[in-house]
Amino acid sequence: MVEYQSEVDKGMVVLDVIHRIQTERANDMAVRWNCKAGKCGSCSVEINGKPKLACMTRMNEYSSDEAISIRPMKTFPVLKDLVTDVSWNYEQNKRITPFTPTQEQKNRNGDYVMMQEDVDRVQEFRKCIECFLCQNVCHVLRDHDRKDKFIGPMFMIRLAGLDMHPLDTEDRIPKIRKDFGSGMCNITRCCTDVCPEHIQITDNGIIPLKERVVDRFYDPVLWLWRKLFQGKSV
Ligand code: SF4
Ligand code: SF4
Ligand code: FES
């Protein structure tokens, strides 16, 4: 950690201060950013221990004589200063089968037809700006480092958006349980608390997915049915 003092002008956000320090005193300090409008998800850091977007955190949230600490996200390896290597997330994204419409819908050349209420339901998940703050704060990934078992909340809502899509034909439930680790989440809601897009990650995404897994694999009536008529439990 290096301590800097900086002038703070009215209306400045934390990212402005980082840029001022970079310009005046630490030209080689690394920080990732792009839009400065809370929409690209690049500037995720931990400010006084809280995962936040540096471009959306106003300096007037802190008193003028207070020292604030700015650290890189803890869950991912540090590349330099405030920049972390988030490539693990992109690898997870590749594991998810993309939207798979019926042939009939494909023939419509993208002019899909569906009920407005179905559109509204999955629209929330599409607000994700891929800031990885939820991935950073999830204790399964952060404290227990179970990246081998759990895909994380950001991808659970991607999966939820696909699974709830009325025109999608892919059955993702077996993979959600076995490969993506839905059972590892114990619904602490820490991911939802830090989402800058206020997506109800746990209540609207993860819990419905967990319910679908339970319905499929742990319903005793269905289990007995499979045992009797398919000769196996899945
Ligand atoms: S609710 Fe689940 S996914 Fe979200 S932080 Fe807690 S354990 Fe992780
Ligand atoms: S779900 Fe929210 S916190 Fe997670 S990556 Fe998307 S925008 Fe960021
Ligand atoms: S710089 Fe784009 S979200 Fe902060």
Side-chain angles (χ1 to χ4, degrees):
M1 295 292 284
V2 183
E3 198 169 314
Y4 297 100
Q5 285 195 355
S6 173
E7 295 285 317
V8 176
D9 302 333
K10 199 170 169 208
M12 266 186 155
V13 293
V14 169
L15 185 62
D16 292 324
V17 174
I18 294 171
H19 284 160
R20 179 168 278 181
I21 292 166
Q22 218 180 21
T23 308
E24 295 175 356
R25 267 169 287 160
N27 302 149
D28 65 343
M29 184 165 66
V31 57
R32 186 184 280 133
W33 69 285
N34 196 336
C35 68
K36 206 172 171 282
K39 286 297 161 204
C40 73
S42 305
C43 64
S44 302
V45 287
E46 299 189 7
I47 305 170
N48 283 358
K50 295 205 171 138
K52 283 173 175 260
L53 297 178
C55 73
M56 297 304 285
T57 308
R58 295 202 163 272
M59 285 303 294
N60 64 10
E61 288 181 29
Y62 309 96
S63 67
S64 55
D65 56 352
E66 183 184 351
I68 65 168
S69 72
I70 308 169
R71 289 184 161 86
M73 287 190 285
K74 186 186 165 195
T75 300
F76 306 109
V78 175
L79 287 174
K80 187 173 189 300
D81 303 325
L82 297 172
V83 176
T84 50
D85 176 2
V86 291
S87 56
W88 176 79
N89 295 286
Y90 299 116
E91 293 306 315
Q92 303 318 300
N93 201 35
K94 287 184 208 159
R95 296 171 64 205
I96 297 175
T97 310
F99 174 56
T100 314
T102 60
Q103 191 55 49
E104 187 197 341
Q105 292 288 344
K106 271 189 202 160
N107 294 342
R108 299 176 69 94
N109 290 326
D111 186 14
Y112 299 127
V113 177
M114 55 191 133
M115 300 290 285
Q116 186 60 43
E117 61 186 9
D118 290 330
V119 176
D120 294 342
R121 189 173 191 203
V122 293
Q123 194 60 27
E124 178 186 13
F125 306 131
R126 298 177 70 92
K127 291 194 303 179
C128 175
I129 58 170
E130 300 183 5
C131 66
F132 308 123
L133 288 176
C134 57
Q135 301 286 86
N136 177 49
V137 84
C138 174
H139 69 100
V140 181
L141 307 176
R142 183 186 179 102
D143 300 325
H144 304 292
D145 197 21
R146 294 315 307 263
K147 295 189 184 80
D148 57 328
K149 291 277 179 203
F150 184 44
I151 199 163
M154 179 181 140
F155 295 106
M156 289 298 279
I157 60 159
R158 172 145 194 254
L159 287 160
L162 288 164
D163 205 58
M164 292 174 192
H165 199 297
L167 304 182
D168 187 75
T169 55
E170 177 77 10
D171 178 11
R172 296 181 175 77
I173 296 299
K175 272 194 166 186
I176 287 169
R177 170 181 170 253
K178 196 160 178 286
D179 300 344
F180 301 143
S182 60
M184 300 289 284
C185 164
N186 51 5
I187 318 178
T188 55
R189 293 192 169 81
C190 312
C191 48
T192 306
D193 289 347
V194 300
C195 178
E197 287 294 311
H198 308 292
I199 301 168
Q200 293 301 305
I201 302 171
T202 332
D203 287 6
N204 292 349
I206 297 177
I207 291 175
L209 281 189
K210 279 173 159 289
E211 286 170 349
R212 287 171 188 214
V213 168
V214 168
D215 285 351
R216 175 78 64 88
F217 290 97
Y218 303 104
D219 183 316
V221 179
L222 278 179
W223 179 84
L224 190 60
W225 174 272
R226 284 192 204 102
K227 210 68 177 151
L228 290 174
F229 297 105
Q230 297 177 357
K232 60 177 182 180
S233 65
V234 282

